[in-house]
């Protein structure tokens, strides 16, 4: 079974061929944005980090940036820095080039260029040439086993654990059975369901790390001295019919299907193993999405009951509605309706197969609603205080 993708010179596989304009620090956001808006065929993102960060946060920021720049969905990257920040653009660009020697990487330092206008001009010229080269590449048949799927649920409701999440679990199993990789994340939304996922670990070490990761997240919330309810589950989750984090978690875990858990990895860490992997991420939609994509996910399937319009700047995000009324109300954002399970029109298995078929179409070039709308959301998970 194949899809049509881009084979990179090092053997990596991409399903998009983006030219990414990437600011390494908040101070470079506007220049990066201006470059992207001036060169058709580019994508970009903005963020508030890159400076005044202690070492653990600076390393986490750099890992997310490098993961996006080195991603096989990216043909080339223009790295934009200010010149005096903690997360140095020079280091980010050098690491991307080290990981992907074949990839065009151009560095723009605003202070060295002589200000914003000159930096925009230099970045736009480099991006222009990259887009020209990228546009000549052709898709070719790629085995499905090369795909890495990120699973996500956001704006969950009482239907999530009955329709879209179990259906996504079917699609996840289909990909794993074909030799591919599926990522389960959203650590706080596994609180109360940790025993279910840990029981599927391939060995005792993986099971132990699963328990430890979830327990550490719960302990960090407790250390704040406040009730986590209202933060997670959110007011929208509660209005949608979810009563507690445990109830939300028991629906969330269905996204992982039924296959064995192969590994537990940290936020934005490179995904190296096949099969089902648990990545430690927040439940926050954008921080989770950013971490999974930085780790190497080619595409994400995002289930939602309340309706969540988000998407990655470099990885297509397929939206699956848990209920038909929301799907009809938010067709601008939803790609698939799993509410047909609730109404009895389809089974979980049938919708799961539809999701898998849509994944292959999107991997082969079909645009998602989030891509058409231009969503380029990017969020870095903070560890400590801003200095």
């Amino acid at each position: 079974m194949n899809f049509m993708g881009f084979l990179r010179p090092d053997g990596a596989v991409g399903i998009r061929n983006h030219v990414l304009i990437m600011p390494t620090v908040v101070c470079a956001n506007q220049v990066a944005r201006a470059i992207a808006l001036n060169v058709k065929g580019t994508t970009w993102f903005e963020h508030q980090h890159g400076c005044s960060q202690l070492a653990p946060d600076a390393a986490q920021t750099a890992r997310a940036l490098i993961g996006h720049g080195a991603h096989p969905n990216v043909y080339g990257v223009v790295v934009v820095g200010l010149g005096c920040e903690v997360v140095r653009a020079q280091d980010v660009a050098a690491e991307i080039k080290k990981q992907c020697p074949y990839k065009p990487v151009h560095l723009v330092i605003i202070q060295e260029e002589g200000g914003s206008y000159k930096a925009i001009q230099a970045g736009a010229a480099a991006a222009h040439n990259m887009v020209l080269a990228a546009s000549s590449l052709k898709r070719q048949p790629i085995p499905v086993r090369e795909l890495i799927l990120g699973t996500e649920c956001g704006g969950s409701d009482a239907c999530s654990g009955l329709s879209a999440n179990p259906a996504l679990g079917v699609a996840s199993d289909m990909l794993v059975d074909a030799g591919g990789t599926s990522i389960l994340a959203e650590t706080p939304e596994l609180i109360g369901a940790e025993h279910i996922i840990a029981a599927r670990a391939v060995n005792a070490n993986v099971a132990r790390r699963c328990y430890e990761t979830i327990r550490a997240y719960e302990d960090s919330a407790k250390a704040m001295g406040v009730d986590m309810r209202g933060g997670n589950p959110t007011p929208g989750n509660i209005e949608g019919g979810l009563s507690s984090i445990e109830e939300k978690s028991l629906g969330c875990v269905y996204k992982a299907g039924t296959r064995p858990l192969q590994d537990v990895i940290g936020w934005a860490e490179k995904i190296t193993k096949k099969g089902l992997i648990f990545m430690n991420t927040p439940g926050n939609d954008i921080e989770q999405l950013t971490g999974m994509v930085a780790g190497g996910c080619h595409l994400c399937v995002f289930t939602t009951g309340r309706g969540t319009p988000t998407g990655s700047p470099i990885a297509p995000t397929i939206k699956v509605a848990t209920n038909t009324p929301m799907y009809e109300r938010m067709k601008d954002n939803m790609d698939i309706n799993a509410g047909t399970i609730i109404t009895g029109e389809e089974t979980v298995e049938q919708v799961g197969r539809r999701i898998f078929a849509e994944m292959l179409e999107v991997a082969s070039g079909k645009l998602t609603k989030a891509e058409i709308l231009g969503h380029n959301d990017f969020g870095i998970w903070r560890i400590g205080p801003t200095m």
Side-chain angles (χ1 to χ4, degrees):
M1 189 183 305
N2 294 331
F3 65 92
M4 299 299 290
F6 297 98
L7 183 63
R8 304 305 182 191
D10 64 350
V13 169
I15 67 171
R16 293 295 183 266
N17 204 35
H18 291 300
V19 171
L20 175 63
I21 316 301
M22 184 171 70
T24 58
V25 63
V26 60
C27 316
N29 280 344
Q30 295 309 310
V31 167
R33 181 176 185 271
I35 293 169
L37 293 179
N38 275 281
V39 184
K40 185 177 180 180
T42 61
T43 186
W44 90 103
F45 57 76
E46 301 177 17
H47 64 96
Q48 69 183 71
H49 303 304
C51 203
S52 304
Q53 292 181 290
L54 296 174
D57 266 315
Q60 184 127 303
T61 296
R63 186 166 69 249
L65 296 173
I66 293 164
H68 278 68
H71 199 289
N73 282 0
V74 173
Y75 169 83
V77 57
V78 177
V79 179
V80 185
L82 178 59
C84 56
E85 59 270 25
V86 170
V87 180
R88 299 175 71 247
Q90 298 93 326
D91 297 337
V92 171
E95 183 59 28
I96 293 170
K97 195 68 178 177
K98 179 181 176 181
Q99 292 185 21
C100 309
Y102 64 88
K103 182 172 295 198
V105 180
H106 186 83
L107 178 63
V108 175
I109 305 295
I110 298 168
Q111 292 169 350
E112 294 180 6
E113 293 291 344
S116 294
Y117 286 123
K118 292 177 181 177
I120 293 167
Q121 184 177 20
H128 174 90
N129 291 333
M130 289 183 196
V131 170
L132 279 175
S135 66
S136 68
L137 297 188
K138 306 296 183 186
R139 290 180 180 267
Q140 56 185 288
I142 305 289
V144 172
R145 65 175 178 270
E146 298 297 333
L147 274 182
I148 303 176
L149 165 68
T151 68
E152 183 164 5
C153 54
S156 300
D157 69 352
C159 295
S160 296
L162 302 173
S163 62
N165 286 354
L168 176 52
V170 169
S172 173
D173 283 352
M174 292 176 69
L175 179 60
V176 170
D177 290 347
T181 305
S182 180
I183 306 302
L184 174 69
E186 298 174 289
T187 305
E189 295 173 17
L190 294 174
I191 295 171
E194 51 267 83
H195 59 291
I196 297 174
I197 191 67
R200 290 160 49 190
V202 292
N203 56 49
N205 180 53
V206 172
R208 176 184 56 79
R209 287 159 54 208
C210 182
Y211 276 118
E212 289 177 349
T213 299
I214 298 169
R215 186 180 302 115
Y217 210 110
E218 185 174 10
D219 288 345
S220 70
K222 289 178 180 178
M224 296 292 291
V226 296
D227 192 330
M228 69 185 293
R229 289 173 296 183
N232 202 343
T234 66
N237 295 149
I238 294 168
E239 289 174 10
L242 296 174
S243 64
S244 66
I245 189 61
E246 291 83 3
E247 185 178 15
K248 186 176 183 181
S249 296
L250 290 170
C252 176
V253 75
Y254 277 115
K255 302 194 307 293
T258 62
R259 299 305 182 254
L261 178 66
Q262 301 291 335
D263 200 6
V264 179
I265 62 175
W267 186 83
E269 287 186 1
K270 190 173 181 63
I271 300 159
T272 58
K273 292 186 178 180
K274 295 285 190 178
L276 178 65
I277 310 296
F278 169 33
M279 177 182 282
N280 181 26
T281 78
N284 177 276
D285 296 337
I286 310 307
E287 292 180 5
Q288 181 205 347
L289 182 63
T290 300
M292 292 194 302
V293 173
C297 286
H298 292 104
L299 77 168
C300 297
V301 175
F302 189 129
T303 70
T304 179
R306 307 290 287 175
T308 309
T310 59
S312 164
I314 65 169
T317 306
I318 300 169
K319 295 294 176 52
V320 182
T322 72
N323 64 87
T324 300
M326 187 277 287
Y327 174 80
E328 294 294 340
R329 190 170 62 250
M330 295 189 66
K331 277 187 174 179
D332 288 351
N333 303 97
M334 298 298 113
D335 298 285
I336 292 176
N337 179 23
T340 52
I341 297 170
I342 303 297
T343 59
E345 299 167 72
E346 288 184 286
T347 65
V348 168
E349 177 81 16
Q350 287 172 324
V351 175
R353 290 186 175 279
R354 278 206 291 126
I355 292 172
F356 186 74
E358 184 75 3
M359 285 164 48
L360 297 188
E361 286 195 47
V362 168
S364 297
K366 179 181 177 180
L367 294 179
T368 65
K369 300 283 184 68
E371 288 179 294
I372 294 169
L373 287 164
H375 290 304
N376 62 341
D377 302 305
F378 184 92
I380 295 171
W381 182 15
R382 289 297 301 271
I383 301 169
T386 299
M387 300 306 293

